Amino acid sequence: MRKILCIILFILPSLAFAQQLPIANFVKEGDYLDMTLSPDGKHISARVRIDGKVNLIFLETSTMKPVGGVTPNENDEIHSAVWISNERVVYQFQESTIYFDSPRATGELFAINVDGSSNKFLYGYRAEESTLNTRLLKRKRTYATPEIISVLEDDDRHILILEYPWSTDGFTYFDDRMKDSQVTKLNVYSGKKIKVETLPHAGATAFATPKGEIKFMTWKDDNDFYHSASRENEESEWKELPLSEQSRQNLVITNINKAGDKAFAWGTVGDKEIYTLFELDLKTGAYTQLFEGMSTDIEDIILDPATGAPVVGISHPAQADYHYTKTPSKTANLHKALLSSFGGQVTDFASISEDGSKILVRIYSEINPGEYYLFDANTKQAKFLWANRSWLDPRQMASATPFKFETEDNIELNGYVTMPVGLAKDQKAPLVVMIHGGPQARDFLQFNGEVQLLANRGYAVMQVNFRGSDGYGAAFRRAGYLEWGGKMIKDIIDATHHVTANFNVDSERMCTYGASYGGYAALMATVRAPDLYKCTIGYVGIYDLNYAYTESYTTRLLGGQAYLERVLGTDTDILNEFSPVNHADKIKAKVMLIHGEKDARVPVINAEKMLEKLEEAGHKVPYLNFSKSGHGVRDPEGRLELYAALLKHLEENIGE
């Protein structure tokens, strides 16, 4: 019945809701984060947010009744959960930290049975355990980040993990991937460790078969470039993979098949250097391109449970586009058959049982935050399980329209415009130019709480994937190098002109807004086009590019210095020219600044210096400093305060 209701919601005529919904409805985080099937498909593990905390619950697939789970301690949340067998799950905690914009794994492993029994602390810096009445240690504490690389299909008591040892600075530990990685066999009942081998490169990632054979690895060098190597067996020497004739860059391994004789690697094709997946045959050394016909990068893949090989690739030129390998696959055929059932929404397989008979299907769109269905491959029936953010009605959300245009230097730019629901044909909406961070990230046609909040308040929202963004090929991304304050900003301004000419927006009422790089670009756009925008909002933005080298933790990371030199350059004159702090007197827009006092990625000195320069230039600047936040405000009370102030700034400057 719930499935029928969901479908009805999407095929009913759009209702012209103009009802103003509470801010909390949009900034409140989702309740179902992810769901995963047990190997036999009889149970589901789900990370669920309850009363603001991420818990782990186990559900019986046939009845969807809870049978067990984990409730974290006060400062912990569930970070991830991996099925080790049909009965046992290894999970990690994550901690919310004021320094970063999202919770981070604690580097600890725990294991529990599906019925809630035998809950054990296996691994981590707090995992030390002594035998009774003795000083002998049964389990030692470990200062490293673990990654499960094989569940060892013939051994229900052990898994193979990769350990990334932490570096130290005084009494502080950092996972900077500066030390050699170690492969370890871990007992999932006792936590006992057995060292297997040490990889010959700092921060290297190993890829193992279900039986635990390690035949491929990938690592990053000091210059921030990736390498991959292979070997026939554990006694063989590692051989670095050569350049493929079909790719302009060294292929980077992403996973291997179950047999361990083939690896799958990201590589680029064509003049735009679009990213796709290649298959490498270990025996012959031959490369085969798996997905073809893309105009943008392959962003997601679906694996065949029988072979472990990718069979479906998903790209996002505007709406989702699907690509299938030439190798026959039951999983790919089922995906093709299901596409038409969900009305053009993005359709992904979140999890598949070992025999392929049960599939967790996740669908989403710009108005749908995500729904899970359980599909039975034998009966061809789909059962609705859960709608994320169920308090939001998709009919009250605003749809997005893709757009594209060519710049003066013949680069195609793509983006989306979201118009407010219920806007009259003769009415023009004020426009918020919302700029993504990164800048090596991108906007998708998917649910965005900020976009929907603004649209609900009557604003049109423009998002553009300017040059330097991910998703449109390596050449497009490189076109943004050394252009943070140059052509990338011009792209944003040109996109604004394109949208005002082609959409029903008011060119006299426009504001820029963004976070991180987006916060920087929001202010820099008002420097380059001082008469175009009436206001601007910078959220955790970098406003003096020199601080990227002197204040940010980025330079501590392996390849971090090289990355900055590649994308920003080291010419002091250009860094100064591209820094908004040096152009406060050119800004005519009304400025608002938002920052976290504990930001480690973009330290608060950026906002403080920008505020100082703006006030010297005669600006009165609303400034929100969140004393307990870092690179983004995560606590519910803080987010409500932030978005209430943001809406007030918009209303005062581009509202009715």
PDB file of all heavy atoms in Angstrom, residues 275-289:
ATOM      1  N   TYR A 275      36.207  10.301 -17.425  1.00  0.00           N
ATOM      2  CA  TYR A 275      36.553   9.142 -16.598  1.00  0.00           C
ATOM      3  C   TYR A 275      35.580   7.995 -16.824  1.00  0.00           C
ATOM      4  O   TYR A 275      34.360   8.169 -16.779  1.00  0.00           O
ATOM      5  CB  TYR A 275      36.547   9.516 -15.117  1.00  0.00           C
ATOM      6  CG  TYR A 275      37.823  10.185 -14.672  1.00  0.00           C
ATOM      7  CD1 TYR A 275      37.928  11.571 -14.668  1.00  0.00           C
ATOM      8  CD2 TYR A 275      38.926   9.437 -14.267  1.00  0.00           C
ATOM      9  CE1 TYR A 275      39.105  12.200 -14.273  1.00  0.00           C
ATOM     10  CE2 TYR A 275      40.102  10.052 -13.869  1.00  0.00           C
ATOM     11  CZ  TYR A 275      40.181  11.438 -13.877  1.00  0.00           C
ATOM     12  OH  TYR A 275      41.347  12.043 -13.498  1.00  0.00           O
ATOM     13  N   THR A 276      36.152   6.822 -17.057  1.00  0.00           N
ATOM     14  CA  THR A 276      35.368   5.602 -17.163  1.00  0.00           C
ATOM     15  C   THR A 276      36.145   4.491 -16.463  1.00  0.00           C
ATOM     16  O   THR A 276      37.180   4.747 -15.845  1.00  0.00           O
ATOM     17  CB  THR A 276      35.079   5.249 -18.633  1.00  0.00           C
ATOM     18  OG1 THR A 276      34.213   4.106 -18.680  1.00  0.00           O
ATOM     19  CG2 THR A 276      36.354   4.943 -19.397  1.00  0.00           C
ATOM     20  N   LEU A 277      35.653   3.276 -16.571  1.00  0.00           N
ATOM     21  CA  LEU A 277      36.304   2.147 -15.910  1.00  0.00           C
ATOM     22  C   LEU A 277      36.919   1.215 -16.945  1.00  0.00           C
ATOM     23  O   LEU A 277      36.321   0.951 -17.995  1.00  0.00           O
ATOM     24  CB  LEU A 277      35.283   1.385 -15.053  1.00  0.00           C
ATOM     25  CG  LEU A 277      35.740   1.016 -13.633  1.00  0.00           C
ATOM     26  CD1 LEU A 277      36.073   2.254 -12.844  1.00  0.00           C
ATOM     27  CD2 LEU A 277      34.681   0.215 -12.918  1.00  0.00           C
ATOM     28  N   PHE A 278      38.117   0.728 -16.622  1.00  0.00           N
ATOM     29  CA  PHE A 278      38.812  -0.241 -17.462  1.00  0.00           C
ATOM     30  C   PHE A 278      38.966  -1.555 -16.696  1.00  0.00           C
ATOM     31  O   PHE A 278      39.099  -1.554 -15.472  1.00  0.00           O
ATOM     32  CB  PHE A 278      40.202   0.268 -17.853  1.00  0.00           C
ATOM     33  CG  PHE A 278      40.192   1.433 -18.801  1.00  0.00           C
ATOM     34  CD1 PHE A 278      40.039   2.724 -18.322  1.00  0.00           C
ATOM     35  CD2 PHE A 278      40.342   1.239 -20.159  1.00  0.00           C
ATOM     36  CE1 PHE A 278      40.037   3.805 -19.179  1.00  0.00           C
ATOM     37  CE2 PHE A 278      40.340   2.312 -21.033  1.00  0.00           C
ATOM     38  CZ  PHE A 278      40.185   3.601 -20.549  1.00  0.00           C
ATOM     39  N   GLU A 279      38.971  -2.639 -17.439  1.00  0.00           N
ATOM     40  CA  GLU A 279      39.272  -3.949 -16.872  1.00  0.00           C
ATOM     41  C   GLU A 279      40.697  -4.330 -17.266  1.00  0.00           C
ATOM     42  O   GLU A 279      41.074  -4.242 -18.439  1.00  0.00           O
ATOM     43  CB  GLU A 279      38.294  -4.988 -17.403  1.00  0.00           C
ATOM     44  CG  GLU A 279      38.565  -6.414 -16.913  1.00  0.00           C
ATOM     45  CD  GLU A 279      37.673  -7.425 -17.600  1.00  0.00           C
ATOM     46  OE1 GLU A 279      36.562  -7.656 -17.110  1.00  0.00           O
ATOM     47  OE2 GLU A 279      38.087  -7.963 -18.654  1.00  0.00           O
ATOM     48  N   LEU A 280      41.492  -4.730 -16.286  1.00  0.00           N
ATOM     49  CA  LEU A 280      42.861  -5.183 -16.527  1.00  0.00           C
ATOM     50  C   LEU A 280      42.944  -6.679 -16.278  1.00  0.00           C
ATOM     51  O   LEU A 280      42.620  -7.148 -15.183  1.00  0.00           O
ATOM     52  CB  LEU A 280      43.841  -4.448 -15.613  1.00  0.00           C
ATOM     53  CG  LEU A 280      45.260  -5.031 -15.522  1.00  0.00           C
ATOM     54  CD1 LEU A 280      45.958  -4.972 -16.877  1.00  0.00           C
ATOM     55  CD2 LEU A 280      46.076  -4.307 -14.467  1.00  0.00           C
ATOM     56  N   ASP A 281      43.336  -7.424 -17.285  1.00  0.00           N
ATOM     57  CA  ASP A 281      43.538  -8.866 -17.157  1.00  0.00           C
ATOM     58  C   ASP A 281      44.962  -9.103 -16.660  1.00  0.00           C
ATOM     59  O   ASP A 281      45.934  -8.766 -17.342  1.00  0.00           O
ATOM     60  CB  ASP A 281      43.323  -9.552 -18.510  1.00  0.00           C
ATOM     61  CG  ASP A 281      43.287 -11.068 -18.387  1.00  0.00           C
ATOM     62  OD1 ASP A 281      44.223 -11.633 -17.801  1.00  0.00           O
ATOM     63  OD2 ASP A 281      42.331 -11.674 -18.878  1.00  0.00           O
ATOM     64  N   LEU A 282      45.094  -9.664 -15.466  1.00  0.00           N
ATOM     65  CA  LEU A 282      46.410  -9.847 -14.854  1.00  0.00           C
ATOM     66  C   LEU A 282      47.287 -10.796 -15.664  1.00  0.00           C
ATOM     67  O   LEU A 282      48.505 -10.618 -15.751  1.00  0.00           O
ATOM     68  CB  LEU A 282      46.252 -10.368 -13.421  1.00  0.00           C
ATOM     69  CG  LEU A 282      47.534 -10.560 -12.614  1.00  0.00           C
ATOM     70  CD1 LEU A 282      48.314  -9.263 -12.502  1.00  0.00           C
ATOM     71  CD2 LEU A 282      47.212 -11.094 -11.221  1.00  0.00           C
ATOM     72  N   LYS A 283      46.681 -11.795 -16.296  1.00  0.00           N
ATOM     73  CA  LYS A 283      47.461 -12.790 -17.036  1.00  0.00           C
ATOM     74  C   LYS A 283      47.992 -12.241 -18.357  1.00  0.00           C
ATOM     75  O   LYS A 283      49.148 -12.476 -18.726  1.00  0.00           O
ATOM     76  CB  LYS A 283      46.609 -14.035 -17.281  1.00  0.00           C
ATOM     77  CG  LYS A 283      46.234 -14.781 -16.007  1.00  0.00           C
ATOM     78  CD  LYS A 283      45.387 -16.007 -16.319  1.00  0.00           C
ATOM     79  CE  LYS A 283      45.010 -16.745 -15.031  1.00  0.00           C
ATOM     80  NZ  LYS A 283      44.144 -17.923 -15.311  1.00  0.00           N
ATOM     81  N   THR A 284      47.157 -11.516 -19.091  1.00  0.00           N
ATOM     82  CA  THR A 284      47.553 -11.034 -20.416  1.00  0.00           C
ATOM     83  C   THR A 284      48.074  -9.605 -20.398  1.00  0.00           C
ATOM     84  O   THR A 284      48.753  -9.179 -21.340  1.00  0.00           O
ATOM     85  CB  THR A 284      46.369 -11.112 -21.388  1.00  0.00           C
ATOM     86  OG1 THR A 284      45.353 -10.180 -20.972  1.00  0.00           O
ATOM     87  CG2 THR A 284      45.794 -12.517 -21.427  1.00  0.00           C
ATOM     88  N   GLY A 285      47.714  -8.851 -19.354  1.00  0.00           N
ATOM     89  CA  GLY A 285      48.106  -7.438 -19.295  1.00  0.00           C
ATOM     90  C   GLY A 285      47.243  -6.540 -20.156  1.00  0.00           C
ATOM     91  O   GLY A 285      47.518  -5.346 -20.296  1.00  0.00           O
ATOM     92  N   ALA A 286      46.167  -7.097 -20.740  1.00  0.00           N
ATOM     93  CA  ALA A 286      45.310  -6.327 -21.649  1.00  0.00           C
ATOM     94  C   ALA A 286      44.312  -5.469 -20.874  1.00  0.00           C
ATOM     95  O   ALA A 286      43.773  -5.891 -19.847  1.00  0.00           O
ATOM     96  CB  ALA A 286      44.568  -7.272 -22.575  1.00  0.00           C
ATOM     97  N   TYR A 287      44.075  -4.251 -21.404  1.00  0.00           N
ATOM     98  CA  TYR A 287      43.068  -3.355 -20.844  1.00  0.00           C
ATOM     99  C   TYR A 287      41.828  -3.365 -21.740  1.00  0.00           C
ATOM    100  O   TYR A 287      41.932  -3.346 -22.966  1.00  0.00           O
ATOM    101  CB  TYR A 287      43.591  -1.922 -20.781  1.00  0.00           C
ATOM    102  CG  TYR A 287      44.685  -1.689 -19.774  1.00  0.00           C
ATOM    103  CD1 TYR A 287      46.023  -1.721 -20.142  1.00  0.00           C
ATOM    104  CD2 TYR A 287      44.378  -1.406 -18.451  1.00  0.00           C
ATOM    105  CE1 TYR A 287      47.034  -1.491 -19.228  1.00  0.00           C
ATOM    106  CE2 TYR A 287      45.375  -1.173 -17.517  1.00  0.00           C
ATOM    107  CZ  TYR A 287      46.700  -1.219 -17.912  1.00  0.00           C
ATOM    108  OH  TYR A 287      47.690  -0.988 -16.997  1.00  0.00           O
ATOM    109  N   THR A 288      40.654  -3.357 -21.124  1.00  0.00           N
ATOM    110  CA  THR A 288      39.397  -3.282 -21.861  1.00  0.00           C
ATOM    111  C   THR A 288      38.526  -2.189 -21.250  1.00  0.00           C
ATOM    112  O   THR A 288      38.291  -2.190 -20.044  1.00  0.00           O
ATOM    113  CB  THR A 288      38.633  -4.619 -21.809  1.00  0.00           C
ATOM    114  OG1 THR A 288      39.463  -5.661 -22.317  1.00  0.00           O
ATOM    115  CG2 THR A 288      37.346  -4.536 -22.630  1.00  0.00           C
ATOM    116  N   GLN A 289      38.052  -1.266 -22.080  1.00  0.00           N
ATOM    117  CA  GLN A 289      37.159  -0.222 -21.586  1.00  0.00           C
ATOM    118  C   GLN A 289      35.781  -0.822 -21.341  1.00  0.00           C
ATOM    119  O   GLN A 289      35.201  -1.452 -22.225  1.00  0.00           O
ATOM    120  CB  GLN A 289      37.065   0.916 -22.600  1.00  0.00           C
ATOM    121  CG  GLN A 289      36.226   2.093 -22.109  1.00  0.00           C
ATOM    122  CD  GLN A 289      36.188   3.229 -23.119  1.00  0.00           C
ATOM    123  OE1 GLN A 289      37.118   3.411 -23.902  1.00  0.00           O
ATOM    124  NE2 GLN A 289      35.106   3.991 -23.108  1.00  0.00           N
TER     125      GLN A 289
END
